[in-house]
């Protein structure tokens, strides 16, 4: 989209802007991990580019991608390659457009905290390991290390701080993938359990972006406040989760509704990846998440993967066969500490060849601080990488 849209394209853009203004409530904004933001930008452009001829029932696919279900913020493949056309769910597109303009965050309705019902026959819920033998063994080792790691509880009035470096696809829409410039990102997550409107802060590209709940004019802010939950995780909420991996996985599947055509298992893998990638949680909870991941069908091990900081490690991965991409959680081969995440193309597509990196992120630091925007001292730095 290098030129000013004309004709029907301009009309669609204007319609999106009008629909955005008609949304009944302002969304609660939740920060997204870099990979998911790349995904949403691609999906938004796909929605704008789609035309009314695309009425083959794939609108639900676009809706699932645009709403970002399966994430609180983190990994996931890019939008489908050129050739797939979507009928346009305008309200969803308007919401995503507003969120992107507000700082690349994703909207959540007030008091929305997941709570979806698991689809009948949802795979991966209880019943033993479904990942590859190598992945199951490695995830067991990672879980054992996590369980032995001392983690200081995070107070209700504090913030979880994460500093990372990464890059996203910066190529022309629907064209060849081109990895953008590496840059640093800092984020602060409020740990207050009760409903809040001030969720945190993201610092990126030299600017500070508040993560806050939109409050409609003339309404009580308390009515729009969002409590801790799967879409706004806190240390205390994570500590309240079951540590039995089967029970935990069943809960995550229930809170990750799948839209028509969406890969439910991939959505759950991405959801867990967001949680372990940019949160601080009790040791038992972290171990349970890794053991639960071993039960997700299609999870594999990659012997060598490189994060955005150039660090080599082993990876726990899952391929999204619809999009031809593979999401990899990368761990230090010696300590088994978490390093970062990346998404690569697993096969040749019109947008990129197999092995091309679509997005990549490396966690450089995690800590607990007392104020939004405060950078940590050595004393406050978290023990788990």
């Amino acid at each position: 989209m290098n030129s000013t849209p004309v004709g029907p394209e301009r009309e669609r853009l204007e319609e999106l802007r009008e629909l955005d203004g008609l949304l009944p409530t302002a969304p609660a904004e939740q920060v997204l991990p870099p990979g998911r933001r790349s995904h949403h930008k691609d999906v938004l452009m796909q929605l704008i580019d789609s035309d009314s001829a695309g009425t083959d029932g794939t609108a639900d696919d676009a809706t699932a991608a645009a709403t970002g279900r399966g994430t609180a913020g983190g990994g996931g493949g890019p939008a489908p390659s050129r050739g797939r056309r979507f009928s346009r769910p305008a309200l969803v597109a308007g919401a995503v457009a507003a969120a992107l303009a507000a700082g690349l965050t994703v909207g959540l309705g007030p008091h929305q905290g997941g709570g979806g019902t698991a689809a009948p026959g949802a795979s991966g819920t209880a019943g033993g390991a479904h990942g590859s033998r190598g992945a199951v063994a490695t995830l067991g080792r990672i879980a054992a290390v996590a369980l032995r790691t001392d983690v200081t509880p995070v107070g209700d009035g504090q913030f979880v701080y994460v500093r990372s470096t990464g890059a996203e696809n910066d190529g022309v829409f629907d064209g060849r993938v081109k990895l953008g410039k590496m840059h640093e990102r800092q984020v602060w997550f409020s740990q207050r359990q009760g409903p809040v409107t001030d969720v945190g802060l993201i610092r990126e590209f030299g600017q500070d972006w508040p993560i806050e709940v939109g409050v409609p004019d003339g309404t009580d802010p308390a009515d729009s406040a969002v409590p801790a939950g799967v879409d706004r995780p806190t240390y205390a909420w994570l500590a309240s989760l079951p540590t039995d991996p089967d029970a935990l996985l069943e809960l995550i599947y229930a809170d990750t509704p799948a839209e028509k055509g969406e890969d439910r298992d991939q959505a759950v893998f991405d959801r867990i990846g967001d949680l372990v990638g940019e949160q601080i949680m009790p040791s038992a909870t972290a171990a349970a998440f890794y053991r639960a991941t071993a039960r997700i069908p299609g999870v594999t091990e990659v012997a060598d993967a490189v994060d955005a900081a150039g660090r080599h490690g082993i990876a726990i991965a899952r391929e999204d066969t619809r999009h031809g991409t593979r999401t990899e959680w990368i761990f230090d081969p010696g300590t088994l500490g978490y390093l970062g995440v990346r998404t690569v193309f697993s096969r040749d597509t019109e947008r990129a060849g197999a092995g091309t990196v679509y997005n990549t992120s490396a966690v450089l630091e995690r800590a607990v601080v007392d104020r939004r925007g405060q950078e940590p001292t050595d004393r406050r730095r978290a023990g788990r990488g």
Side-chain angles (χ1 to χ4, degrees), residues 129 139-140 143-144 147 243 245-246 249 284 286-296:
L139 282 164
L147 192 60
T243 54
D246 287 325
L249 190 62
F289 271 123
Y290 291 126
R291 293 194 175 106
T293 300
R295 290 155 165 77
I296 300 175

Side-chain angles (χ1 to χ4, degrees), residues 12 49-58 84-88:
R12 285 193 289 270
D49 186 57
S50 61
D51 53 37
S52 57
T55 55
D56 58 354
T58 55
R84 293 196 64 190
R85 306 292 292 179
F86 297 105
S87 55
R88 176 166 43 87

Side-chain angles (χ1 to χ4, degrees), residues 171-191:
V172 176
F173 163 62
D174 222 7
R176 299 291 292 180
V177 168
K178 177 183 177 183
L179 199 63
K181 183 179 179 180
M182 289 285 178
H183 63 277
E184 190 169 285
R185 174 179 182 264
Q186 296 170 286
V187 65
W188 290 261
F189 295 108
S190 171
Q191 297 299 294

Side-chain angles (χ1 to χ4, degrees), residues 76-78 177 263 266 298 300 302 317-328 342-359:
V177 168
D263 185 335
Q266 184 67 40
T300 61
V302 176
R318 193 177 189 283
E319 182 180 5
D320 187 336
T321 55
R322 292 188 311 145
H323 298 161
T325 58
R326 183 177 64 248
T327 301
E328 302 173 348
R342 71 175 185 174
T343 300
V344 300
F345 281 83
S346 55
R347 56 177 168 82
D348 292 339
T349 72
E350 293 180 355
R351 301 190 65 193
T356 300
V357 176
Y358 180 75
N359 58 64

Side-chain angles (χ1 to χ4, degrees), residues 1-3 5 9 12-13 16-17 37-51 62 65-66 78-82 84-89 92-94 96-98 100-101 104 169-175 351 358:
M1 299 182 67
N2 295 321
S3 59
E9 187 75 310
R12 285 193 289 270
L13 283 169
L16 286 175
R17 295 190 185 101
R37 288 182 297 136
S38 290
H39 171 65
H40 288 302
K41 286 190 288 186
D42 263 12
V43 170
L44 177 60
M45 292 299 98
Q46 188 76 287
L47 292 170
I48 292 172
D49 186 57
S50 61
D51 53 37
S81 59
R82 191 176 189 88
R84 293 196 64 190
R85 306 292 292 179
F86 297 105
S87 55
R88 176 166 43 87
V92 171
V96 176
L100 290 172
L104 301 179
N169 174 38
D170 198 30
V172 176
F173 163 62
D174 222 7
R351 301 190 65 193
Y358 180 75

